[in-house]
Amino acid sequence: MTDHPPGPLWTGRASNRGQWLLAVAGAACLALGVELAVDSNWTGGFAPLLMSVIGCLAVGLLILFGTLAFVHVAVTVDAEAMEVRCGHIGLPRRRIRLVEVTSAEFLPRITPQQWGGWGCRWRPDRGTAVIVRRGEGLELRLGDGKVFTVTVDDAENAVRVIRAHLRALAG
């Protein structure tokens, strides 16, 4: 596979602007927790106040991380692997070497309902997926029997590139 130029051969992204609304809800929970901690006229005792502050902060952070990590996904296919990076800091990340792939399929319609919601998902009957929105995506079948699915724009071209690599590896 040295006949390909270095660098990515295909890149794609998908995003979900609707998750920004959830991020705002997470920020509101954080703000409420800070407000309770700083300026509270709580008369019910220290323990309930502490539990309320910790609860608001924990829920806010969980919502913020859960939504901002899956606002968008970036997929890169190069001569050796397909790499999937989520969110603004690229985590979670998944790198699948093309020598491990047995087939690649274009899926014209993937919905979060099929996978139980947005984010990194695992289902015993379907494998692992990164779902950031409904729409097109690609599915990789791996040599160990596992399946990996990701929603990404221009997935049909990604499948063409991956299949070309698979033919080159087989030949």
Side-chain angles (χ1 to χ4, degrees):
M1 302 262 328
T2 59
D3 56 338
H4 292 293
L9 299 173
W10 182 88
T11 58
R13 296 176 62 88
S15 61
N16 183 349
R17 292 187 196 111
Q19 289 202 359
W20 285 105
L21 294 173
L22 292 173
V24 169
C29 285
L30 275 175
L32 178 60
V34 170
E35 173 67 23
L36 285 173
V38 172
D39 186 31
S40 176
N41 294 329
W42 196 280
T43 60
F46 181 72
L49 174 62
L50 183 63
M51 289 190 313
S52 298
V53 169
I54 291 172
C56 286
L57 294 176
V59 167
L61 288 172
L62 285 172
I63 291 173
L64 272 174
F65 176 75
T67 56
L68 293 180
F70 297 103
V71 168
H72 69 264
V73 65
V75 180
T76 304
V77 177
D78 63 22
E80 296 176 6
M82 180 181 88
E83 185 172 68
V84 178
R85 301 178 87 181
C86 300
H88 295 287
I89 59 173
L91 293 174
R93 179 184 308 184
R94 174 89 189 259
R95 183 173 170 84
I96 300 172
R97 294 183 29 207
L98 294 180
V99 296
E100 299 170 4
V101 176
T102 59
S103 69
E105 298 296 324
F106 169 70
L107 301 176
R109 180 144 173 86
I110 300 171
T111 65
Q113 292 83 5
Q114 294 169 329
W115 287 92
W118 286 285
C120 278
R121 297 296 183 186
W122 177 79
R123 293 187 56 188
D125 58 328
R126 302 192 74 167
T128 306
V130 175
I131 307 296
V132 295
R133 50 112 174 110
R134 78 173 53 110
E136 66 180 297
L138 63 97
E139 177 181 271
L140 299 181
R141 296 202 175 270
L142 308 179
D144 59 5
K146 295 179 181 175
V147 178
F148 181 79
T149 305
V150 62
T151 54
V152 64
D153 295 333
D154 195 28
E156 197 165 8
N157 282 327
V159 169
R160 283 190 197 116
V161 169
I162 293 168
R163 286 178 178 168
H165 283 290
L166 295 180
R167 285 191 297 275
L169 288 170

